Every structure is written in structure tokens, then in C-alpha cells.
Amino acid sequence: MAHVITQPCCNDASCISVCPVNCIHPTPDEPEFASAEMLYIDPDTCIDCGACIDECPVEAIFPDDSLDEGQERYLQINADYYTDHDVSGGLVPPRKKPPLPAGKELHVAIVGAGPAAFYAAEELVKHSAIRVDMFDRLPTPYGLVRAGVAPDHPSTKGVEKTFAATAAKRTFEYFLNVEIGKHINHDELLDHYGAVIYAHGASTDKHLGIEGEDLPGSIAATDFVAWYNGHPDFADRDFDLSAERAVVVGNGNVALDVARILLDDPDHLGKTDIADHALEKLRSSNVKEVVLLGRRGIAQAAYTNSEFLAMGDMDGVDVIVDPDELVLDAANQRAKDSGTLDSTIATKVRIATEFSERTPTEGNKRVVFRYLVSPLSIKGSDDGIETIRCVRNEFVDAPDEAADNPGDTPRPSSGRVAIKPTGEEFDLPAGLVMRAIGYTGLPLDGLPFDGGQGVVPNEGGRVLDAKDGDRVEGVYVTGWIKRGATGGIGMNRLCGQETALAVIADFTESKLPEPAKSREQVPDLIAERGAGRIAGDGWKKIDLAERTAGKEAGRRRVKLVSIEAMEAAARA
């Protein structure tokens, strides 16, 4: 018997460190880890010890004899990974804590309270000489785990337990409901802390840059996600769901999330922690079909196989795929023909092919996957959207290394490949268009910023001056504002740890400037400027109020969605 990793996998890699036989891959030391959709257990190596089950924060690992019908598909997905990946190495050696300067304390401010922030904090508070203050402008922590993870994915939110354990350390304090730039600025943070880590993420969406994008009914998926997750900045938004067809431009996991929310049975969603205002609106929704547009092919689809597979499990929803659109680019086609197609891509193609062979059920809702299709313009008026104009694309058959070196193994690609429009255009009637093409960062006063990349210039988390490339002493970044809006919880853990270790190394080598003022002055400073700071006990009261309301309603939690309600709960 072996163990199997299933859909909720968050890539946080906790399981790897406890595996005695190195059967879980890719590990953080392997190059595949950065782009891995999930982790996989080698069925031929697993000794069934079960250590990984206890360590997994999202309850994604099961013995193979206890899988339900839906989970059994992951037996094959786990095994497939090991058909073309060399996993002879990659063991993660235990890391010894570096010795810190004797008799010295370091106070670190972390701006942001999402996964990358917490993983940096987790590494820092392992040292009793390092104290961490975590700032966030919202009264609640956890960032996109709270406001981004889909409500029908409660297992993924289980990682909050790891964050709560970090926050429970005596050397950790919350400064929630405190806005940087309003209640305390960048220079003042440097005055009071030996190091400042910015982990405020990528908070805005990317634009399509096409005609009609600003029409009513053309919206950012990021706004829609924040709305149904109860983010207080978006709780008062209203979205027109009166049309029968919605179009989502993009083919990542966020695109699949919004499609599920639009099509799922509200009674099912009513058992989750979806915001009440969103649930009420969805109950009156007329949306019966969601079309997802991917500008490239199936091999380049950015959603994970587990999320793609789960789309076919929705009751009353048909998955529609046109087999003629399952075209591979030249490099992947050569790899497929030679039997060397990357297993992750091969699984994606297999799932899509199986979907294309299903017979639709009359009366069902539909989610339609389109490949090699780009939007050209959105047509409508001030009353709303009528159609979205699209064009079909084709791959540009450029030679790759494998073609130039026939003796080499063809190298498949799941990344960017060249495409061009065919000139074949068509109109797709729709009343709602969402762009789900990614997040990008915004500048923060006092910090250098690379507007083209949407990140703060840095080297391994150490912030660099945008003009001369010199180090900005004592200032660091982690998460999406550090590396761009790519990667999930697993990558954020590595990212946060890397930045924290950079802080520790600089502290150890006496490279951090001495703060001019005491950290103890910060609470009074922000109070004078009107900050209604919520500390750890206040967040616990908000959490308790939401969970208590959820228990009464048979749900995980019922979210408070206004700052005022959260502040009142924190004071209760």
C-alpha cells in the first residue's frame, strides 16, 4: 500500500521534510519545484509510514485504500509523474539555525499578512532574539488565503493553522487595521525597526488593452473574487448576472474559480464561507454558460490538472471541449510523437480529451473551454455588454533545440510559445466579460519600483535601488511583490524563507543599521494618527464571532464584511 497526494495539495513542502525515504517530489532543491502544480508520492518507494499525513496542513494525503471515487484518479496522476522525472536526489537536509550576535535583539516589521509574510515570520521567530511585528491595513490576516482562495476549497484554507501557530509565538505581534503611509510611513518603520520586510503582494489586475474593456459588464476577475470572498473593499460592489452567458478571458486557476462560482448550485455554496451578499446575488443569477478563452493551446493552459479535473465533477454542469482545438505546438507534438511528452502536459491533454468525449446532458449548465482564441474588442453600450469579438490563433512553427539537434530528446514546453492570429474572427454574445489574466504589484511610497515587472527590484529579497542597483540597507521584500504574481503557497514558503534567511544573515554579519528609535514607541505613534489597531486578541475575537455564526448556520464561518463590523467584534 502507498499514500497518494490529492487535489488540495498546496505545495508547502512540509510533508517532504518528514518523509524517511525521499518518496515525495519535487523537493525545494529540485528545479521542477518552482513550476510544479502539486507534489507527488512515488508509489514504488513509499513505505506507508504515514508521517506525511500528520504534517500536511491541508489534509491532501491519503492511504491508497481509503480514497473515494473522485480521489482514485490521483493514483494515476501521482504515478505518472515518476515516468519522466529523475528523483534520485533532492533530499532536503535539515538546516541548523545560524548563531546570532550574543546579547543583541532584532525587531523586524513585516508589511502584509499573507502566506509569504507568515512564512518569513515563521523562519524569523525560530530565534528567540528576533521579534516580529506584522502590519496589515485590514483587521484580518491571511491575505489571499482568506480573500482569494475559493470558498468551495476549504481544505486549502487549512494552511491557516500553520499561520496561527506562528502568530502564537511570544515574539510575534499583530498590528492589524494599520495602514502604511497613513498611520506610519516607510521612513518611520526604518526608524523603529532593524529590518523591514514588505510582503504586500500584487493587489491589482492586468488589463487586456482592447476596445470596450471599460464598458459596464466588463470586470476584473480579481474584483469578483474579492467580492464573493467578503473583502471589505468590495462588499458593496454589484455585478450584473442577468445574462445567460459569461466569458472569462484567461485559463489559470482564477479563471476556473470564477467559472465554478458562477455555475455551482447556490445550495452547495451556501455550506461554504462565501460572503452572504454574494450568495444572495448568485441565487438570482441567470448565468447558464461560462466560456473560458485561452490565447494559446492546451499544453500552455495555466490551470493545474487537479483544478481542471475537478471541473468535471460539478453536479448539473457539462464540460465542453472541442477536440479540434486540442492542438499542440511543434515542440510538444514532436515530444508526443516520440513518447517523451512531459507527464504533466500529457495528463492535461488526457483530461481534455476525456472531457471532449462526454455526451452533454440536456438542461445542464455548461463550462466551455476554448483554446487558441484571443479577444479583439468588447461591444455594447452604457446599458451593458452585447458581444465580445474574438480571433482564432495558430502556432508559429519555429524550430527549437531538438529540431536543430536531431539526436537530442525533444524538449516539450508548457510555457510561452509563439502564436499569430489566423484572421478568422467571430462574435460571441455575452452579457458579462471577466479578465483573469493575472495580478500585478503597485508602488508604495518610499520603495523602489519596477513598473514593467510590477515588483520591487531586489536580489534574493534584499531591496535594490532602482537607479544605481545598490542595496537599500534594512529593507527586504517577499512574495509576489518580490518575484511577480506567479506561484502559490509552496513557492511563497520558499520565497518567505529565503528573505528571512537574508535578514538573519545580515543581522549575524552586523550589516543592519541600528534603528534610531525604539519599537516600543510604535503603538503610541499610530494611535496618535487615528489607527484603531487590532492586536492578536482582537483578531481572535473576530475569528470566534465568524466561526460561531458559521456553526449556527452549518458553515465553516460567516464572514464579517465591513471594517466597522470587524472593529466592533474585536472590541467585544
Side-chain angles (χ1 to χ4, degrees):
M1 185 172 71
H3 285 68
V4 180
I5 298 178
T6 62
Q7 180 184 353
C9 178
C10 69
N11 287 37
D12 108 321
S14 300
C15 54
I16 291 173
S17 61
V18 299
C19 177
V21 293
N22 189 32
C23 76
I24 305 176
H25 295 270
T27 72
D29 287 350
E30 295 172 315
E32 293 90 348
F33 185 86
S35 58
E37 295 187 347
M38 57 182 286
L39 304 182
Y40 308 87
I41 292 177
D42 183 358
D44 294 333
T45 308
C46 178
I47 61 173
D48 192 30
C49 69
C52 54
I53 292 180
D54 294 333
E55 199 68 21
C56 178
V58 295
E59 301 178 356
I61 306 177
F62 298 87
D64 61 10
D65 62 354
S66 66
L67 299 172
D68 62 32
E69 184 177 350
Q71 294 167 332
E72 284 182 354
R73 300 167 298 188
Y74 287 90
L75 279 166
Q76 187 66 45
I77 289 175
N78 277 246
D80 283 347
Y81 178 82
Y82 293 92
T83 61
D84 64 344
H85 287 82
D86 179 12
V87 293
S88 56
L91 282 169
V92 180
R95 187 170 60 235
K96 293 183 178 180
K97 292 192 294 186
L100 301 186
K104 293 188 68 176
E105 256 193 358
L106 173 65
H107 289 175
V108 180
I110 299 181
V111 179
F118 268 101
Y119 285 128
E122 178 186 47
E123 192 68 33
L124 292 170
V125 297
K126 290 177 181 178
H127 304 269
S128 59
I130 299 179
R131 303 184 64 87
V132 170
D133 290 346
M134 184 173 286
F135 292 79
D136 199 281
R137 70 178 184 86
L138 294 179
T140 57
Y142 306 153
L144 285 180
V145 172
R146 177 180 171 94
V149 173
D152 58 349
H153 283 12
S155 296
T156 305
K157 300 187 182 190
V159 75
E160 292 175 0
K161 293 180 289 187
T162 301
F163 303 157
T166 296
K169 300 288 187 180
R170 64 176 182 82
T171 51
F172 178 102
E173 285 197 44
Y174 273 129
F175 281 73
L176 302 174
N177 212 28
V178 177
E179 186 173 348
I180 306 303
K182 178 180 179 182
H183 301 126
I184 187 170
N185 63 36
H186 170 72
D187 290 337
E188 290 168 335
L189 286 173
L190 289 176
D191 282 344
H192 293 86
Y193 293 91
V196 181
I197 299 175
Y198 286 91
H200 53 288
S203 58
T204 191
D205 66 289
K206 294 181 179 179
H207 288 259
L208 296 169
I210 61 175
E211 179 189 351
E213 188 173 9
D214 295 329
L215 286 171
S218 171
I219 64 173
T222 55
D223 292 359
F224 190 69
V225 169
W227 171 75
Y228 66 62
N229 272 317
H231 191 296
D233 290 352
F234 297 87
D236 293 333
R237 289 287 300 272
D238 187 30
F239 298 101
D240 184 358
L241 306 182
S242 61
E244 292 193 358
R245 178 185 286 138
V247 173
V248 180
V249 181
N251 60 2
N253 281 347
V254 172
L256 269 60
D257 284 347
V258 298
R260 283 198 324 276
I261 296 300
L262 285 169
L263 295 173
D264 204 355
D265 183 347
D267 287 341
H268 174 248
L269 292 174
K271 299 174 183 177
T272 73
D273 65 358
I274 191 170
D276 285 346
H277 58 253
L279 184 62
E280 181 181 357
K281 184 73 175 183
L282 290 164
R283 289 193 185 279
S284 61
S285 168
N286 291 328
V287 176
K288 293 182 172 57
E289 178 177 286
V290 177
V291 180
L292 295 104
L293 303 183
R295 62 188 299 264
R296 292 183 292 273
I298 178 65
Q300 290 77 38
Y303 43 70
T304 60
N305 284 331
S306 58
E307 293 298 310
F308 189 29
L309 189 63
M311 294 299 289
D313 296 334
M314 296 178 67
D315 290 337
V317 179
D318 290 327
V319 179
I320 308 298
V321 176
D322 183 347
D324 292 338
E325 292 186 358
L326 299 180
V327 180
L328 296 177
D329 56 283
N332 278 308
Q333 187 60 55
R334 283 192 290 270
K336 182 181 180 182
D337 293 342
S338 65
T340 59
L341 184 61
D342 178 86
S343 60
T344 301
I345 296 174
T347 299
K348 195 160 275 150
V349 173
R350 174 177 59 80
I351 294 169
T353 302
E354 290 174 358
F355 284 155
S356 74
E357 295 170 349
R358 291 186 179 183
T359 301
T361 301
E362 186 176 353
N364 271 5
K365 297 179 181 179
R366 294 157 44 104
V367 56
V368 183
F369 287 85
R370 300 295 306 270
Y371 302 101
L372 289 166
V373 174
S374 291
L376 293 176
S377 63
I378 301 172
K379 303 296 184 183
S381 66
D382 291 341
D383 294 328
I385 291 171
E386 297 172 2
T387 62
I388 178 169
R389 184 90 170 156
C390 303
V391 63
R392 297 184 189 276
N393 299 321
E394 62 183 1
F395 291 113
V396 176
D397 189 8
D400 58 10
E401 288 183 24
D404 294 336
N405 301 280
D408 292 345
T409 301
R411 299 183 63 79
S413 169
S414 61
R416 295 191 176 277
V417 295
I419 58 170
K420 65 178 182 181
T422 64
E424 182 184 350
E425 300 181 4
F426 62 95
D427 289 324
L428 192 60
L432 178 68
V433 175
M434 287 196 211
R435 56 185 181 271
I437 55 174
Y439 294 74
T440 189
L442 293 173
L444 190 67
D445 284 348
L447 278 184
F449 189 71
D450 180 345
Q453 300 296 319
V455 300
V456 172
N458 71 93
E459 184 176 17
R462 296 178 173 95
V463 171
L464 304 177
D465 187 279
K467 295 179 180 178
D468 54 26
D470 290 343
R471 278 279 317 280
V472 180
E473 289 188 346
V475 185
Y476 304 80
V477 284
T478 188
W480 284 0
I481 198 64
K482 169 185 173 183
R483 65 182 195 277
T486 61
I489 292 173
M491 270 305 297
N492 277 321
R493 182 170 198 172
L494 281 184
C495 188
Q497 289 174 340
E498 179 188 52
T499 296
L501 290 173
V503 173
I504 293 168
D506 291 346
F507 178 49
T508 302
E509 297 168 17
S510 300
K511 293 182 178 180
L512 294 178
E514 285 291 333
K517 301 176 182 178
S518 169
R519 172 263 167 211
E520 305 303 325
Q521 297 172 308
V522 172
D524 289 339
L525 171 66
I526 62 173
E528 290 171 3
R529 295 178 182 170
R533 176 198 172 187
I534 293 176
D537 58 345
W539 157 238
K540 288 179 181 178
K541 291 178 182 179
I542 295 172
D543 184 46
L544 178 61
E546 291 184 340
R547 291 184 180 276
T548 300
K551 186 175 182 180
E552 294 171 355
R555 302 166 63 183
R556 179 176 177 270
R557 68 169 70 232
V558 174
K559 288 180 176 176
L560 301 173
V561 298
S562 73
I563 300 293
E564 294 76 16
M566 294 174 186
E567 290 175 334
R571 293 192 299 266

